[in-house]
Amino acid sequence: MPNILSNKLLEIACFNIESCLQAQEAGADRIEFCADYLAGGITPNYDDILKAKELLHIPLHVIIRPRSGNFNYSLQEIEVIKKDIEFCKQHHVDGVVFGVLTQNKKIDKHINKELVELAGSMSTTFHRAIDESDDMIEAMNDIISLGFKRVLTSGGKKSATEGITILKSLQKKYHKNIIIIPGGGVRSSNIKELIQLTQCNEYHSAAITTKTDTVNSEEVKQLKTMLS
């Protein structure tokens, strides 16, 4: 089993440049950069991606999601996704976060394989589209076979705490094959339980505690303290 006493990694989802800088200052280990908090995160505009890349000295992962809603995309939307991945690769972004499902909510192996190959040396994370899957085991096996380095998941539930038993099971079964990142409502009030029960090594939080889209620096510090 993984060493649960070792330091853990904290990824903060940020929805504007200000939050990226605040999260970095507060001790975040990595940024997942998105736009539009209310939509659950979509691809930021290119100028903001370049600005974040310029200002951050910690790893930057960019979400590649052309719109809100489901994760079954049209051919035109797939072309946009490819263009956005190519842009990130050309500008040496550390990683990209994406996921495409079929109409029946299975992992689209053909499209995701193309996208993983297009990403090249960038780190690839399959995002919470997996939580819409009816069969988490099948989905995990597909994601691993496609070569993703990480998967962000709440265990198929609305939040990581609701999916904690499934997350524990996934970590036990797959921790040697892929990095599992619990995400979905992760805050300083519940992360200790998640660490103890799931034994995962990376955790994802927006660290937002008010009705804004801006990170709470003190929340980031508290999360980081609990992970150390």
Side-chain angles (χ1 to χ4, degrees), residues 69-129:
N70 66 45
F71 301 99
N72 177 238
Y73 299 110
S74 68
L75 291 176
Q76 290 85 355
E77 288 169 335
I78 295 297
E79 289 307 309
V80 172
I81 289 172
K82 289 178 179 178
K83 180 182 169 209
D84 292 344
I85 291 175
E86 189 65 45
F87 177 86
C88 289
K89 183 166 65 173
Q90 287 175 353
H91 291 90
H92 308 291
V93 169
D94 301 288
V96 282
V97 183
F98 59 87
V100 180
L101 302 180
T102 64
Q103 286 186 329
N104 58 354
K105 296 187 177 179
K106 292 184 181 295
I107 307 301
D108 190 319
K109 290 184 278 190
H110 174 69
I111 296 297
N112 285 297
K113 184 172 187 290
E114 278 190 48
L115 300 179
V116 169
E117 289 175 353
L118 180 61
S121 62
M122 289 190 295
S123 184
T124 51
T125 301
F126 195 97
H127 59 39
R128 288 189 59 198

Side-chain angles (χ1 to χ4, degrees), residues 168-215:
K168 178 182 178 181
S169 174
L170 294 176
Q171 174 69 1
K172 184 176 181 180
K173 184 175 177 69
Y174 295 110
H175 72 272
K176 291 181 180 178
N177 307 109
I178 195 167
I179 298 168
I180 294 169
I181 316 175
V186 175
R187 297 293 183 271
S188 58
S189 58
N190 57 35
I191 197 168
K192 188 173 182 180
E193 180 186 20
L194 285 163
I195 296 167
Q196 290 174 339
L197 290 180
T198 69
Q199 300 186 11
C200 291
N201 289 315
E202 299 190 6
Y203 294 84
H204 172 99
S205 175
I208 292 172
T209 56
T210 58
K211 292 181 179 180
T212 69
D213 62 356
T214 302
V215 73

Side-chain angles (χ1 to χ4, degrees), residues 104-106 130-139:
N104 58 354
K105 296 187 177 179
K106 292 184 181 295
I130 189 178
D131 294 322
E132 295 194 3
S133 170
D134 294 329
D135 187 335
M136 290 289 287
I137 299 301
E138 180 185 43

